Amino acid sequence: MRFAAFIAGVCVLALPRAAFSQQNFDTVQVRSQKVAEGVYMLTGAGGNIGLGVGDDAAFVVDDQYAPLTPKILAAIAQLTNKPVKFVVNTHWHGDHAGGNEHMGQAGALLVAQDNVRRRLSTQQVLAFFKDTVPPSPAGALPVITFSDTITFHLNGDDVQAFHVAHAHTDGDAFIVWRKADVVHAGDVFVTYGFPFIDLDSGGSIDGMIAGCDVLLTLGDENVKIIPGHGPVSDRAAVREYRAMLMTIRDRVSQQKNAGRTLAQTQATHPTSQFDAKWGGGFIKPDQFVELVYRSLPERKR
Ligand SMILES: [Zn+2]
């Protein structure tokens, strides 16, 4: 999403694009932190950036918002003197792919799952946020797309991107540094609260849960996991997040199958045991119940 407001670079809030365009990025600082040998996470405003460095090239996962590109490139230049050769998008949302055009102009090849290019090429309506996103300029579109998986062999590592079907969107990818044992999970896994599921872009609660199952198979037990938003995380956190998703999904599903309306389901507070930990993000408990309810199949009569 075009997360517009941010506090200390981590708190996000979704606002219509009009508000976003008035956002002042001048005060945003792009910071880097080492995740593993040769892999860094960069934070500024928007989704976490993954950066691989080494003898060959800088390899970047997600690029936040367009106005931040000079700061992002400056932060990368602090860590490597190699050019950015590839930028992989974890999905099409503007807080992850907004810098694509500038990164392309700076010489990077843009790479993403097929559906990312398809959605960036055409107008997208995000009913949940009452937002309409116009098609991106040609220079912002991925020039290399993949359906299921693609592997980059550089910097002494094998870096693999996998498609995760119908999770946060229909074009999500996990990116795995095999040797460094790091995964960038995009917005299928976030730590700021209940996750946004973009139903208008083909997302679903069942896909989010299935995505967590895949995520838990990647890397070793001590794998470092870069979430779409929030601090560097691990498998234990993904397991807890998955259990939360599953519990709420089952409760909402039971009620929907019993013929209850969305309002009736919300009134039973199916998220209540998780609200203290997860309810403080930009997706409120009732909104999360709505996303789950709407993404579940209609009751069979
Ligand atoms: Zn997103």
Side-chain angles (χ1 to χ4, degrees), residues 1 3 91 93 95-96 168 187:
M1 267 315 300
F3 301 127
H91 62 293
H93 288 156
D95 56 330
H96 296 260
H168 174 64
D187 281 358

Side-chain angles (χ1 to χ4, degrees), residues 1-3 90-96 168-169 172 186-188 190 192 196 198 228-229 282:
M1 267 315 300
R2 293 171 181 268
F3 301 127
T90 60
H91 62 293
W92 75 270
H93 288 156
D95 56 330
H96 296 260
H168 174 64
T169 67
D172 301 304
D187 281 358
V188 178
V190 295
Y192 56 60
F196 173 54
D198 185 352
H229 300 262
F282 81 100

Side-chain angles (χ1 to χ4, degrees), residues 79-147:
L79 300 165
T80 177
N81 57 9
K82 304 290 182 190
V84 178
K85 217 171 198 176
F86 300 103
V87 172
V88 182
N89 297 137
T90 60
H91 62 293
W92 75 270
H93 288 156
D95 56 330
H96 296 260
N100 273 11
E101 187 176 25
H102 291 166
M103 291 301 246
Q105 285 164 354
L109 284 172
L110 306 172
V111 185
Q113 206 275 336
D114 298 336
N115 292 331
V116 174
R117 183 180 162 100
R118 185 170 64 79
R119 292 198 179 275
L120 284 174
S121 312
T122 51
Q123 176 178 286
Q124 299 296 309
V125 177
L126 296 175
F128 193 80
F129 293 105
K130 299 182 176 58
D131 194 13
T132 301
V133 182
S136 296
L141 303 179
V143 294
I144 299 171
T145 65
F146 60 93
S147 54

Side-chain angles (χ1 to χ4, degrees), residues 180-200:
D181 204 22
V182 176
V183 183
H184 192 311
D187 281 358
V188 178
F189 173 56
V190 295
T191 61
Y192 56 60
F194 292 125
F196 173 54
I197 306 171
D198 185 352
L199 307 183
D200 297 309

